[in-house]
Amino acid sequence: MMLKVLKFGGSSMADAKQFEKVKSIVQADPARRVVIVSAAGKRFSDDHKLTDLLYLCYAHLKYGVSCDTVFDMIRSRYMEIRDDLGLKTDLETEFAALRKKMDAGISQDELVSRGEYFAARLMADYLGYDFLDSELWLKFNLDGTVDQEKSYEILARTASGRRVVIPGFYGTMPDGSIKTFTRGGSDITGALAAAALDADVYENWTDVSGFLMADPRIVKDPLPIERITYSELRELSYIGAQVLHEGTIFPVREKNIPLNIRNTNQPEHPGTMIMESFDETEESLDGNFITGIAGRKNFSVITITKNGMSNEVGVLRRILEVLEKYQLVLEYLPSGIDSVSLVVAADKLRPCQYQLLGDIQKMLKPDSIHVTEDMAIVAAVGRKMAFKPGTSGKIFAALGENGINIRMITQGPDELNIIVGVDNKDFAGAIRVLYDSFVK
């Protein structure tokens, strides 16, 4: 029988109305038997996420300031959801016990994990599912990494054949103490649960209908990305697109489980499907050979020129050693026969620029070193670009026709992306030109 593991983000858990949407989504498909939830999020723009309030609560405790007001806000949010839905969960006893623990001394991780804990208790009651506490199955090693083997084995055993709701964001250390992931950790819990249970699909429900082909603040009404591979997702994420963090998808990618990004507020929208690869029939349905366009501003490019550089052994290694000395991350490395360009974040280069250039001068004795500032990087990413001859030429022509000067060009060896460097002032224009030229 098919199994779908679902994860609902904070906006999907914000109030009783959102709980009702979650219930109708879960009930619409009998395969949706395992549900992971975040803590209640914002109901409106000036509202508070409950996780933020719990961190605030802990800060009050730490500095000996009363946290009664903040604690009451947290308690009343969950009481309100319970009462609006007519549930019977005994939150009074639970909150009284938590308050006692706070007065006696509680760790930050345990306190902030309660946002997910209470959300899951209420959702289990509302769906008529079993509540399965993450502290029972999600096990961390002493170094803070997840013990996947142990965690998977326990969850497969305890969730087998049951309909369960699981709180995201936390698990336990070997000594039994609660440990949370970094922010956004409920996504990781969801992916781990899907991998542990060998789910057929992992559905990540949020407040957007999947990923868009470009930033909607730059391109008006960009099309959604219907299908994307994990490799493309990584490229777009690296270049600056607001997509899932790589750590959150690794467990499902490892097991080749399809990941579907969906919108709780538009459940009929198919969202974005992420897989390792797609079959050719599905590919032919999608006319766009560019999957997405993204970019980042504020780079500096150090261009080093030296006659005969290509024949000199170890040049690149020595240049990289200088970058390492100043703790600089090399973003891109376009090169010519007798020149090499180092693309680095401008704000990281600024404090050490002159010492670094001095070191390169001393070590390489180049013919010239030149620094270009205020550069933006724009990338067109697409798995089908490799099969479309002349893509690069079309990109350069489109930018040129629109008066955008290309300062740098680089392409990955797997031909998943074409990256151009433009002036910061041309950043938004370049993205719009590429979108208008290549997206149907």
Side-chain angles (χ1 to χ4, degrees):
M1 188 182 175
M2 194 178 198
L3 170 65
K4 292 182 179 179
V5 170
L6 289 72
K7 181 261 166 180
F8 289 93
S11 60
S12 307
M13 304 294 294
D15 57 23
K17 273 198 179 68
Q18 294 300 91
F19 266 61
E20 286 166 6
K21 292 177 188 175
V22 169
K23 187 172 189 172
S24 63
I25 288 166
V26 173
Q27 290 183 336
D29 187 341
R32 292 173 173 152
R33 299 195 300 280
V34 175
V35 177
I36 289 90
V37 298
S38 293
K42 293 184 178 188
R43 296 161 292 186
F44 42 85
S45 61
D46 295 333
D47 199 15
H48 299 285
K49 294 179 179 179
L50 284 200
T51 304
D52 291 341
L53 292 180
L54 285 159
Y55 275 113
L56 186 59
C57 234
Y58 184 79
H60 280 68
L61 289 172
K62 188 178 172 186
Y63 295 107
V65 180
S66 168
C67 65
D68 289 350
T69 313
V70 184
F71 187 74
D72 286 344
M73 286 169 77
I74 297 162
R75 181 169 49 196
S76 61
R77 275 286 293 280
Y78 282 125
M79 297 282 199
E80 192 180 310
I81 293 170
R82 179 195 68 178
D83 297 343
D84 286 351
L85 297 172
L87 301 175
K88 298 283 185 279
T89 315
D90 181 8
L91 292 181
E92 286 81 358
T93 307
E94 293 260 20
F95 272 105
L98 176 59
R99 187 67 236 223
K100 219 180 210 172
K101 215 169 190 181
M102 286 161 65
D103 293 337
I106 190 171
S107 73
Q108 177 175 277
D109 280 20
E110 182 168 359
L111 181 55
V112 299
S113 75
R114 297 305 88 183
E116 276 71 15
Y117 173 84
F118 287 120
R121 288 292 309 276
L122 290 172
M123 187 56 78
D125 188 1
Y126 188 47
L127 294 176
Y129 279 26
D130 295 336
F131 169 73
L132 176 55
D133 200 338
S134 288
E135 67 177 54
L136 299 175
W137 71 274
L138 212 166
K139 304 297 179 184
F140 287 94
N141 294 308
L142 282 170
D143 63 0
T145 58
V146 174
D147 185 338
Q148 278 185 229
E149 195 179 330
K150 192 174 182 182
S151 301
Y152 286 10
E153 186 275 319
I154 298 171
L155 187 62
R157 183 163 32 83
T158 50
S160 177
R162 299 165 70 195
R163 293 178 178 275
V164 295
V165 175
I166 298 170
F169 192 39
Y170 69 91
T172 53
M173 292 294 283
D175 65 357
S177 61
I178 298 277
K179 176 174 169 53
T180 59
F181 289 108
T182 49
R183 296 303 292 266
S186 293
D187 283 329
I188 305 174
T189 309
L192 287 166
L197 299 169
D198 291 314
D200 295 284
V201 181
Y202 169 40
E203 294 181 347
N204 192 309
W205 292 83
T206 173
D207 55 1
V208 293
S209 299
F211 304 135
L212 298 171
M213 293 188 74
D215 187 335
R217 292 166 300 186
I218 296 173
V219 172
K220 193 177 186 310
D221 299 326
L223 289 173
I225 298 173
E226 291 173 21
R227 286 178 295 279
I228 185 170
T229 63
Y230 283 113
S231 302
E232 290 172 303
L233 187 70
R234 177 159 164 64
E235 292 282 347
L236 283 171
S237 165
Y238 185 75
I239 196 69
Q242 295 299 304
V243 292
L244 286 175
H245 186 272
E246 192 186 352
T248 66
I249 57 176
F250 178 73
V252 283
R253 181 177 188 178
E254 204 177 28
K255 288 209 167 184
N256 201 18
I257 294 169
L259 166 51
N260 195 189
I261 308 295
R262 302 285 291 270
N263 187 346
T264 303
N265 304 314
Q266 282 186 290
E268 66 294 335
H269 193 290
T272 298
M273 184 64 85
I274 309 162
M275 291 175 70
E276 199 61 53
S277 61
F278 294 91
D279 68 35
E280 284 174 23
T281 322
E282 285 178 323
E283 293 286 64
S284 61
L285 297 173
D286 188 349
N288 291 316
F289 65 95
I290 284 181
T291 302
I293 298 156
R296 281 186 288 159
K297 290 163 79 171
N298 301 320
F299 288 98
S300 291
V301 183
I302 306 165
T303 303
I304 304 160
T305 309
K306 186 182 183 184
N307 204 14
M309 186 193 280
S310 55
N311 300 321
E312 217 176 293
V313 175
V315 171
L316 209 51
R317 175 182 54 76
R318 284 180 282 157
I319 291 171
L320 294 175
E321 279 173 0
V322 175
L323 289 185
E324 190 179 346
K325 176 182 170 184
Y326 293 100
Q327 299 288 293
L328 280 175
V329 173
L330 180 63
E331 304 277 349
Y332 300 101
L333 184 72
S335 59
I337 295 172
D338 288 329
S339 70
V340 64
S341 293
L342 314 170
V343 183
V344 295
D347 61 333
K348 299 286 192 293
L349 174 65
R350 218 166 279 123
C352 61
Q353 180 170 322
Y354 295 106
Q355 299 96 304
L356 180 139
L357 295 179
D359 284 0
I360 292 175
Q361 183 73 48
K362 212 183 310 175
M363 185 183 64
L364 279 187
K365 301 189 173 42
D367 299 332
S368 70
I369 302 183
H370 177 67
V371 178
T372 308
E373 293 176 332
D374 300 323
M375 278 268 280
I377 301 293
V378 175
V381 174
R383 61 191 176 276
K384 299 186 210 168
M385 290 199 300
F387 309 107
K388 292 268 182 177
T391 302
S392 306
K394 286 176 191 160
I395 286 175
F396 308 145
L399 291 169
E401 283 161 18
N402 286 274
I404 292 169
N405 186 23
I406 300 170
R407 310 291 302 272
M408 183 194 87
I409 301 156
T410 182
Q411 182 170 22
D414 50 6
E415 296 187 62
L416 253 189
N417 61 21
I418 293 173
I419 294 160
V420 293
V422 297
D423 292 326
N424 270 346
K425 65 179 173 58
D426 290 329
F427 176 69
I431 288 178
R432 278 193 285 269
V433 166
L434 291 180
Y435 184 87
D436 293 342
S437 305
F438 295 100
V439 179
K440 290 180 178 177

